[in-house]
Amino acid sequence: MKPGEAARVLILGGTAEARALAAALTERAIDVISSLAGRVSKPRLPVGEVHIGGFGGVEGLAGYIQSEHITHVIDATHPFATTMTRHGVEAAQIAGRPFLRVARPGWRERPDSATWHWVASYDEARQTAEALGRRPFITTGRQTLAHYEPWRDRRALVRVVEPLDADAPTAWTVVLDRGPYDVDGELSLMRQHAVDVLLTKDSGGAYTAAKLAAARELQIPVVVVARPATPTGATEVRSVDAAIDWLATATTG
Ligand code: NAP
């Protein structure tokens, strides 16, 4: 940042943390622009200026940072939005701007996580779940459904935020919902569809955690796809408050 230059923060968003950060910085009279991928038809919008849609890769984002006079880049995208995070790291480096990753804690810290089946990929999740149950509840996201193609004749409950691009297999029940969820609702849904194995990814946070408590109560096994690693070189914090502290330090030198 040049002496006397005011901070203008780009928040790579699409999460509750990104919205909370935009609100907190706006409250502190810091100039913020939040970006969303533009995939959700009715997104929850953060306060302040919003950029909707991709930037066109690393070069596009680096150009945007420069042309918009962005002073700091804070990546608060979902823990599984790994492409955007990698692009953010590289583009900030090209543009010579400080970069911070905010990633909420994962669910490994929950006491019941020791009983879950941790896997490294969606294919492994499917293979592991096959040995555990016959009626899966798939909550790993719309973009992962191709990995469950071998289950097209299996009665599966699938929950996604946005409608699917193509018709789902007729054996599947697709529920559109976006959370936050509560335990009673999850218990009722899981009982109604008689699911006997839950597939999820380690998103962390409270919005979608009720299914884990419900699975525990119903003694349904849980298969969890572990988080991908953060790109090397990225400074990472676990909370919005820590991101605000980082920015305070980064702007005062
Ligand atoms: P991704 O695979 O990491 O990113 C793919 C491309 O989408 C990026 O290269 C970028 O396009 C564009 N993009 C992604 N996030 C963006 C953002 N915040 N602002 C502007 N462009 C963005 O991302 P994803 O996993 O599909 O997630 C997309 C969005 O949904 C993210 O904002 C994420 O926070 C949110 N989300 C994701 C999940 C999940 O499970 N993955 C769950 C909840 C919310 P260009 O290369 O053209 O710049």
Side-chain angles (χ1 to χ4, degrees):
M1 235 172 118
K2 295 175 200 142
E5 188 183 15
R8 178 160 162 78
V9 181
L10 173 62
I11 300 174
L12 305 173
T15 59
E17 289 76 13
R19 290 189 295 277
L21 183 60
L25 297 185
T26 303
E27 216 168 83
R28 288 163 175 75
I30 294 171
D31 192 11
V32 166
I33 176 159
S34 300
S35 82
L36 302 177
R39 308 244 176 80
V40 178
S41 46
K42 285 186 193 152
R44 295 188 174 103
L45 290 174
V47 296
E49 203 176 328
V50 178
H51 168 98
I52 296 192
F55 298 97
V58 174
E59 295 298 326
L61 179 54
Y64 180 88
I65 292 169
Q66 281 155 342
S67 66
E68 284 290 326
H69 307 291
I70 300 297
T71 58
H72 301 80
V73 179
I74 302 185
D75 168 33
T77 56
H78 189 271
F80 280 76
T82 47
T83 304
M84 191 68 250
T85 296
R86 189 168 41 77
H87 288 186
V89 171
E90 292 175 21
Q93 203 165 29
I94 292 170
R97 297 304 193 193
F99 174 93
L100 179 74
R101 168 88 182 121
V102 188
R104 63 177 85 128
W107 287 324
R108 258 189 209 276
E109 289 160 27
R110 288 172 62 106
D112 48 342
S113 77
T115 64
W116 302 339
H117 301 261
W118 288 86
V119 296
S121 70
Y122 301 108
D123 287 330
E124 200 189 330
R126 190 193 69 244
Q127 286 153 8
T128 303
E130 268 168 16
L132 297 168
R134 294 288 310 153
R135 296 177 70 157
F137 180 16
I138 303 171
T139 65
T140 48
R142 183 170 59 123
Q143 293 179 82
T144 69
L145 294 183
H147 297 274
Y148 305 103
E149 174 61 28
W151 281 354
R152 56 173 22 264
D153 297 323
R154 186 175 286 229
R155 281 180 69 179
L157 174 64
V158 178
R159 185 165 63 199
V160 285
V161 174
E162 283 289 300
L164 305 184
D165 297 330
D167 286 344
T170 49
W172 294 7
T173 301
V174 178
V175 176
L176 287 187
D177 207 345
R178 70 189 326 198
Y181 305 103
D182 62 34
V183 178
D184 285 346
E186 297 294 55
L187 282 170
S188 142
L189 182 72
M190 288 158 89
R191 283 192 180 115
Q192 184 193 341
H193 294 274
V195 299
D196 58 11
V197 55
L198 169 66
L199 292 91
T200 183
K201 57 189 179 194
D202 184 18
S203 296
Y207 261 53
T208 59
K211 62 189 170 190
L212 302 167
R216 186 180 183 178
E217 192 166 328
L218 297 173
Q219 297 189 329
I220 288 173
V222 179
V223 180
V224 187
V225 180
R227 285 186 178 192
T230 305
T232 48
T235 306
E236 182 170 311
V237 295
R238 317 289 295 277
S239 69
V240 170
D241 284 347
I244 294 167
D245 290 347
W246 172 85
L247 188 65
T249 308
T251 48
T252 55

